Amino acid sequence: MTATVDISLREAEVLELVGARLSNAEIAARLYISVRTVESHVSSLLRKLEVPDRRALAQRAPEPAGDDASAQPVPVLPAPLTAFVGRVAEQAELAELLEAHREVTAVGPGGVGKTRLALAVAAETSGRYGDGVWFVDLVPVTDPGMIATAVAGALGLGEQPGRDMTESVIAALADRQSLLVLDNCEQALDGVALFVERLLASCPRVTVLATSRARLMVPFERVYQVPPLSLPVDGQSDAVALFLARAAAAGSPLDPTSREDIVSICERLDGMALAIELAAARYHSLGLDGVTAALSHPLRMLTGGFRADERHRSVRAALDWSHALLDPTDKALLRRVSVFMAPFTAAAAAKVTGTEEFLVAEGLARLAEQSLLVVITSPGGTAYRALETIREYATEQLIEAGELVDTRSRHLHWCLAQATELEVVRPEWRAGFDAIADDLRAALAWAALEPEQRTDAYRVAGTLAELTFTRNLIGESQQRYEQAAALAEDPQSAASALRQAAAVAGCRMRGDDVYRLYGEAAEAASRAGDSAGAARDLAAIATTAYRFSTKFVRKLSVEETDSLVARARDLAGDDPAARATVAVAEAGQLLNGAISTAQGHPGASVTDTVARAERAVDLTHRTGDPLDESVALDVLTGALSWAGDPFAAAATTQRRITLLSSMPKAPAATHELLEALAEAAEANLGTGDLAAARRWAGQLADHPLLAEVGHRATSWLLVADAFAGNVEQLLNGSVRFLDAWRRAGRPARSSLGPAAAAVAMTHGLRGDDDARQEWNLVLDELGPLPEHAHGYGAVFDTLLLLHHGQLPEALERMSPAPQEVWKWVTWIWHHWYVALRAEVAVLAGTPDARDRLAEARTIVTGNPVAGGMVARAAALLDGEQEALLAAADAFDVAGCHYQAARTLVLAGGEHAERGAAVLAALGLAPMSPTGA
């Protein structure tokens, strides 16, 4: 089927990478396009190839070139720089354990070869895992809460607002048959254990292979003790084979007669892989006699505790003598570069070590020649990395030399300088951040524990918070802002950081965190003597509780919010900004009370709220704070809508977006802008301005913060496309919506109902009952919502019923008068409801048809689409053909191609043929004659 479908070259590239089990983020990075563009291509491929999900799409990818047409996805594993030697029995044993158990921990001391064995087994067994093998290096991770973030980075996942990173990883792997290799788990054992337990409980086809110096200590763990390399027995020895291979790779193959000397060296090193590699690296310069002599000298050993193990002594011995043979300059260089957590360049090392760059470059090359550093080459240049065991050893030397504080301080300032360069977001920004992120985290972890470094630690925490927000790691961003607050030297700075953390929590849809953080900010402001700031924070909690109640796990009671507003009012005093935010909260109180109690038309109570909201807007505008003004405009928008003035509400959303668009992309501004875009899309749908609705909804769908929550990103764009008759765009977007909604755990969010109903209706218009039923099931999962029963559900159901000529059913669906269901048809749906209700009455020939038309005409004046529907109904009632054709033209001008085509069909004759052709071009089924 693939060969007969029109697939573009770019779609073919995406399809091939989907077949290789790459995530959207990985595909985007590979093809140098945005994640949103990848999602669009995937959506298009799902539709064109008529497959239900990504797994089925992967099966339609072209077979790999070459002889092995059944090749599995290429494992996502680091490429070793040297060949793997020996370990045949160990590979077989570990592979067998992985087949029988879902979590295996390869345990052993540093330098025994755990990582290389795990990589070899992962590559060898990758054919068992149809959805790929993934490798996660946990060396940079010292915070147990960052385990899931590291795994998500390896998988190419971003964070989904409304869930933590562990949940995002679980959602991505829920139905995958994959092997996850977690390397160096001893860095954060408790965090790994909790993460793995949640992962395996929720992902039944995932297997975990961990490497660690200590076991995870969880009930489901199967431990494999990694032994040293085998020593000579009957002439066979992996240890000797490794020594020979590494010596030969260095250009110094050994004479076979030297075997006994090599055996002696390997036995002295207890078969420890790292120690043997270090010894082999010295063969070229020392010869076997020199290596033997070096190992014969008394060595300073570690004593006590876990490191007293003989195997640790072997590695320590090798490191001691290898280190002793370095000249003082190279010793200093090795210990000073041990502060780097990520690969580093010679230029970076020069800054941190305080040495000229050309001298550093020469020293790094010498250390690499002695196998003390690993060389990493890339198009961007040459970088270096120390193996974890060597890095730990060098860090000990740094401490013993008394250079730890100076070197780490230089490293911290280098990190800050690098971070400053990232303040301007350029095309290569993401790669730049990823390269420095682990070092920033390491610098912060050290500085946070050093009292004299508190000021710099505060700076790093704040900088990292800003950068991770830009990188869309919003969970970490919130954590870093909170850390900055804890490190702040004065309560005013702490309050500022906590407000930023609260804004990020809002972006994450964590209402309870918003409550907590603004509360802590109020306390910090009070300690600083800033009563006005505390008032603003308390008012913000109350306003957030009204505006974003669905984001709270524990809903705030009316009594709680009333108390917050009262306290804020008392603290505000004469401060203009504080009084303005309190005024916003008070207007929100009134609006929320009116909406909560209204059954029919809300009457004067909400109309009064408009005046209060307008006053709040005026007060916030005078203070010059665009964020406060945006919040006030949001409350005013709601009040205007409930007061029955959708055009003023739409204009207010436009004011809000204009206000926010020029602001820096900080957390609070981003949170407000996302909400404003959604609200603007809704408001313009309510007034029939489909072009504006699609424009704002499109900006929302393309926002990078929503890349991982496609259901939330596309919801209003789907509604706009459904009304307009943009069937192809809707089908593409609906795939993204459904895939993201399922990956998000199928959340029952009422705000998603209109999108699901819009897609269900469109499939009904296409005559695809199976697809419509699938989307109706989605609606069922979203819950029995009154908005669906009386609001958008009635609108979309009636549009479909009219298309198929089911007039009695349409008449019944529209039987409630608008005043009876005001609460559910206001805001977006009121104009659509009254216009459709009038049209149904005309087509069904009810006695009150003319009265309904008159009522609707008064309500929808100024709405090009709803007004056109009312004009069309009047033309049908009066038999005015010219008026029908004029209505069709008006629909086209308004961008509502479906209603234009429907009008032509209703006009009959040759016009009906033209309308039927337009419907077919849109991909819709013919209209029923009864409907016409």
Side-chain angles (χ1 to χ4, degrees), residues 78-91:
L81 298 177
T82 54
F84 185 71
V85 176
R87 297 277 200 190
V88 175
E90 291 92 328
Q91 287 186 71

Side-chain angles (χ1 to χ4, degrees), residues 297-304 307 310 312-314 316-317 320:
H297 289 302
L299 296 169
R300 174 172 47 84
M301 301 297 181
L302 287 178
T303 58
R307 279 189 173 273
E310 288 293 333
H312 278 295
R313 290 177 179 167
S314 302
R316 180 55 179 263
D320 273 339

